[in-house]
C-alpha cells in the first residue's frame, strides 16, 4: 500500500470522521461482510474493504446519456497513460466464445492504487455505432467494446479526482444512432379513376446542427420556414434551389418531420406537369390547410413571358399561394429546382407570396472538414468546398 494511502487511512483511524472507516475491524470480519444485491461471485465492495479498510463512496457513469456509449478500450488506454495502470492486475470476468476461440470479457475490475477502484460492467461489442471522435475500433468490422456501466469506488478525499475522471470518460465515447423516426408523406398518383394519394414512409435524417450542414446563414431561414408552415390557415410559397447534390432533398426529409398538424402532399417530378391539369385543383380542394411539396419543379415555374406556350401550372401555383383559391384553401407550397433563379416566373417572388427563397451551395472548406470528420471520414480528402453529396459519398 502506498505511503499516501497509508497516511489517509491513518487520518481516518485517528479522527474517525469518515463514516465508512473500518480500520479497527479485522480482515476476517471485513471479508465476512454481507453485501446485499451483489451480482458477482466476488464482491467489488469486499475487494475495496480488503484493500482500504473502508467502505467506498460510489459514482456511476452510464452509457446512453445523450446517446453516448462508453468505449472500454479507449478508457483503459487512458488509465494506463494517466495513472500508470497495469492491465495485467485487473480482475476479469468473461465467457469463452467457441466461434472466435477467444474470451469475451463481460466485466472488469481495476485498482488504481490511489483510493480509487473501477468496475466495468455489462461489456459488449457493438458494431452499429457512429464514431464522431474517431476512436479506434476493436474489431475489423468496426465493432466497439462498450461498457453499459462504469462504477467508481473511492475514498472521500478523491472526490474531485473522480469527478474529473468521470467527465473524461464521457469524452471517450461513440454514439448510438438516433432512434428511427419516420413520417408518412402522401404522394400524388393517378389512374383511370383520377388522382389519389398513396402513403410513403420517410425516415428523418440525422442532422444535429443545421449550420454545420447548410451554413450559418441558413438557420434563420429555416426558422422562418418552420414558423410559417406550422401556422394554421396560412399560405405562401417556399423556393429552395441550387446545384445538384447540395442537400435540397436531404433538407426536405428533415423539414417534413418538423411540421405538425398538416397533411403533406408530395408531387414527384414525373407528376409535376399535372398541376396544369384542369382536374388537379379540384382534387387538391379535398385537402385544405395542407402543404404541397414539389420536387424538381423547374419545368412548371419558368417565366411565362419567355415561353411561346405559357404553362397553366404557374398560374395555378400563383392562385394557390396567394390568390383567391389560396385564401379559401390555405395551402402552402415548397418547391425545389436546379435552374437559375432568373429563369423562373417573377410573380412567384412577389412580397407577400414568397415565404422564403434560399440557394443551396457547396459548404465552405472549414465546414466541409468539420462535417467529414463528424461523419467518420476524416479530413484527408477535403481540400476544397464540397457539396453534401460529395462529403457523404467519399468512399464511392
Amino acid at each position: 500500500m502506498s505511503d499516501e494511502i497509508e497516511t489517509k487511512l491513518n487520518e481516518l483511524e485517528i479522527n474517525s470522521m469518515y463514516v465508512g472507516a473500518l480500520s479497527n475491524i479485522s480482515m476476517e470480519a471485513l471479508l465476512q461482510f454481507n453485501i446485499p444485491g451483489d451480482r458477482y461471485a466476488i464482491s467489488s465492495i469486499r475487494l475495496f474493504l480488503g484493500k482500504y479498510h473502508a467502505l467506498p463512496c460510489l459514482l456511476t457513469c452510464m452509457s446512453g446519456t445523450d446517446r453516448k456509449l462508453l468505449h472500454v478500450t479507449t478508457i483503459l488506454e487512458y488509465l494506463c497513460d494517466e495513472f500508470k495502470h497495469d492491465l495485467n492486475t485487473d480482475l476479469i470476468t468473461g465467457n469463452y466464445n467457441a466461434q472466435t476461440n477467444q474470451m469475451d470479457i463481460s466485466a472488469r475490475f481495476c485498482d488504481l492504487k490511489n483510493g480509487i477502484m473501477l468496475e466495468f460492467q455489462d461489456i459488449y461489442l457493438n458494431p452499429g455505432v457512429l464514431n464522431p471522435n474517431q476512436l479506434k475500433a476493436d474489431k475489423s468490422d468496426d465493432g466497439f467494446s462498450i461498457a453499459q456501466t462504469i462504477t467508481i469506488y473511492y475514498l472521500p478525499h478523491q472526490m474531485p479526482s473522480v469527478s474529473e475522471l468521470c467527465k473524461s470518460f464521457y469524452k471517450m465515447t461513440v454514439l448510438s444512432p438516433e432512434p428511427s423516426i419516420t413520417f408518412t408523406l402522401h404522394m400524388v398518383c393517378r389512374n383511370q379513376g383520377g388522382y389519389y394519394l398513396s402513403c410513403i414512409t420517410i425516415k428523418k435524417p440525422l442532422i444535429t446542427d443545421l449550420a454545420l450542414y447548410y451554413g450559418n446563414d441558413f438557420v434563420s431561414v429555416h426558422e422562418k420556414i418552420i414558423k410559417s408552415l406550422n401556422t394554421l390557415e396560412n399560405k405562401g410559397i417556399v423556393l429552395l434551389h441550387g446545384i445538384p447534390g447540395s442537400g435540397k432533398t436531404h433538407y426536405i426529409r428533415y423539414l417534413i418531420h418538423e411540421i405538425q398538424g398538416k397533411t403533406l402532399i408530395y408531387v414527384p417530378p414525373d407528376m409535376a406537369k399535372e398541376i396544369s391539369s384542369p382536374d388537379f385543383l379540384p382534387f387538391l380542394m379535398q385537402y385544405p390547410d395542407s402543404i404541397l411539396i414539389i420536387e424538381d419543379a423547374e419545368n412548371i415555374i419558368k417565366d411565362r413571358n419567355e415561353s411561346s406556350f405559357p404553362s397553366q401550372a404557374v398560374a395555378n401555383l400563383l392562385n394557390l399561394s396567394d390568390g383567391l383559391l389560396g385564401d379559401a384553401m390555405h395551402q402552402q407550397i415548397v418547391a425545389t429546382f436546379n435552374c437559375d433563379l432568373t429563369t423562373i416566373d417573377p410573380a412567384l417572388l412577389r412580397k407577400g407570396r414568397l415565404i422564403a427563397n434560399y440557394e443551396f451551395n457547396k459548404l465552405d472548406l472549414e465546414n466541409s472538414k468539420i462535417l467529414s470528420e463528424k461523419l467518420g471520414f476524416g479530413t484527408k480528402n477535403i481540400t476544397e468546398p464540397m457539396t453534401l453529396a460529395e462529403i457523404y459519398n467519399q468512399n464511392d
Side-chain angles (χ1 to χ4, degrees):
M1 187 180 297
S2 69
D3 293 341
E4 180 183 353
I5 297 300
E6 191 69 45
T7 301
K8 290 293 181 182
L9 292 178
N10 288 339
E11 291 176 358
L12 291 172
E13 182 177 355
I14 294 171
N15 298 322
S16 299
M17 294 297 291
Y18 175 42
V19 69
L22 301 170
S23 53
N24 292 325
I25 299 180
S26 68
M27 179 64 70
E28 182 179 356
L30 288 173
L31 294 179
Q32 290 177 353
F33 243 72
N34 180 30
I35 312 296
D38 264 351
R39 299 186 299 161
Y40 303 101
I42 301 176
S43 164
S44 307
I45 295 180
R46 281 195 182 94
L47 288 173
F48 196 95
L49 283 170
K51 182 65 179 288
Y52 297 109
H53 283 236
L55 286 167
C57 303
L58 270 69
L59 181 65
T60 300
C61 305
M62 297 191 67
S63 285
T65 304
D66 294 331
R67 296 173 38 237
K68 293 181 178 180
L69 305 177
L70 299 162
H71 185 219
V72 175
T73 305
T74 302
I75 292 173
L76 290 176
E77 290 174 353
Y78 170 78
L79 296 178
C80 292
D81 292 340
E82 291 295 316
F83 298 91
K84 310 304 178 188
H85 177 65
D86 183 0
L87 296 179
N88 293 318
T89 64
D90 292 353
L91 177 64
I92 294 173
T93 303
N95 301 296
Y96 180 73
N97 189 325
Q99 292 183 335
T100 62
N101 293 322
Q102 293 179 336
M103 178 182 181
D104 291 338
I105 297 175
S106 58
R108 189 180 201 111
F109 197 87
C110 311
D111 179 13
L112 300 185
K113 300 179 175 61
N114 59 355
I116 299 175
M117 289 183 170
L118 300 100
E119 185 174 18
F120 296 76
Q121 300 167 337
D122 299 324
I123 300 173
Y124 64 98
L125 193 69
N126 189 341
V129 299
L130 303 175
N131 186 19
N133 296 322
Q134 288 290 288
L135 305 182
K136 184 178 179 181
D138 296 289
K139 299 289 183 180
S140 58
D141 62 352
D142 289 335
F144 288 82
S145 181
I146 304 299
Q148 189 64 37
T149 306
I150 300 177
T151 303
I152 306 175
Y153 305 86
Y154 63 98
L155 294 174
H157 72 278
Q158 287 288 22
M159 182 179 291
S161 299
V162 167
S163 296
E164 288 301 314
L165 197 61
C166 199
K167 187 185 300 182
S168 298
F169 289 171
Y170 280 112
K171 297 177 182 178
M172 305 173 202
T173 55
V174 290
L175 292 179
S176 61
E178 268 197 319
S180 178
I181 303 175
T182 59
F183 185 89
T184 299
L185 198 61
H186 303 272
M187 183 172 68
V188 176
C189 303
R190 187 176 189 178
N191 58 21
Q192 292 180 342
Y195 298 104
Y196 65 96
L197 296 181
S198 178
C199 295
I200 56 175
T201 300
I202 303 296
K203 184 177 179 180
K204 185 177 182 179
L206 178 61
I207 298 179
T208 56
D209 183 357
L210 275 175
L212 176 59
Y213 282 73
Y214 295 106
N216 291 324
D217 60 332
F218 182 65
V219 175
S220 60
V221 176
H222 169 73
E223 291 173 351
K224 184 178 181 181
I225 292 172
I226 285 297
K227 182 178 179 180
S228 178
L229 296 185
N230 275 328
T231 301
L232 295 177
E233 298 188 352
N234 207 356
K235 57 185 179 178
I237 188 167
V238 176
L239 298 177
L240 306 174
H241 54 104
I243 58 176
S246 55
K248 298 183 294 295
T249 300
H250 196 64
Y251 172 66
I252 291 291
R253 293 192 188 103
Y254 177 82
L255 176 66
I256 62 178
H257 288 82
E258 302 292 304
I259 299 170
Q260 301 173 353
K262 291 190 177 184
T263 300
L264 274 69
I265 301 174
Y266 172 63
V267 182
D270 63 329
M271 290 291 293
K273 63 182 184 298
E274 298 292 332
I275 294 176
S276 62
S277 169
D279 298 328
F280 194 75
L281 288 183
F283 163 71
L284 284 183
M285 291 179 68
Q286 303 174 63
Y287 307 99
D289 210 22
S290 59
I291 297 173
L292 203 62
I293 299 174
I294 310 170
E295 203 169 23
D296 297 335
E298 40 269 279
N299 290 329
I300 64 170
I301 60 174
K302 287 184 177 178
D303 191 343
R304 291 167 291 178
N305 296 325
E306 299 298 322
S307 174
S308 302
F309 303 97
S311 171
Q312 181 63 30
V314 176
N316 286 350
L317 290 178
L318 294 173
N319 199 4
L320 279 171
S321 58
D322 194 35
L324 291 176
L325 191 58
D327 291 337
M329 295 292 296
H330 306 295
Q331 287 180 330
Q332 294 169 293
I333 300 165
V334 178
T336 72
F337 55 96
N338 295 325
C339 63
D340 193 276
L341 189 64
T342 58
T343 66
I344 74 169
D345 197 296
L348 293 169
L349 302 174
R350 188 176 63 79
K351 187 175 181 180
R353 170 177 286 124
L354 186 66
I355 298 171
N357 163 41
Y358 188 81
E359 181 179 7
F360 292 80
N361 215 319
K362 293 184 177 183
L363 285 177
D364 61 37
L365 181 59
E366 181 182 359
N367 274 359
S368 295
K369 287 183 175 180
I370 294 173
L371 180 56
S372 181
E373 186 79 34
K374 181 180 179 68
L375 295 174
F377 293 111
T379 59
K380 181 180 178 181
N381 298 325
I382 312 297
T383 58
E384 60 184 359
M386 297 178 71
T387 65
L388 281 186
E390 291 169 337
I391 294 171
Y392 266 88
N393 296 287
Q394 292 179 62
N395 288 340
D396 297 339

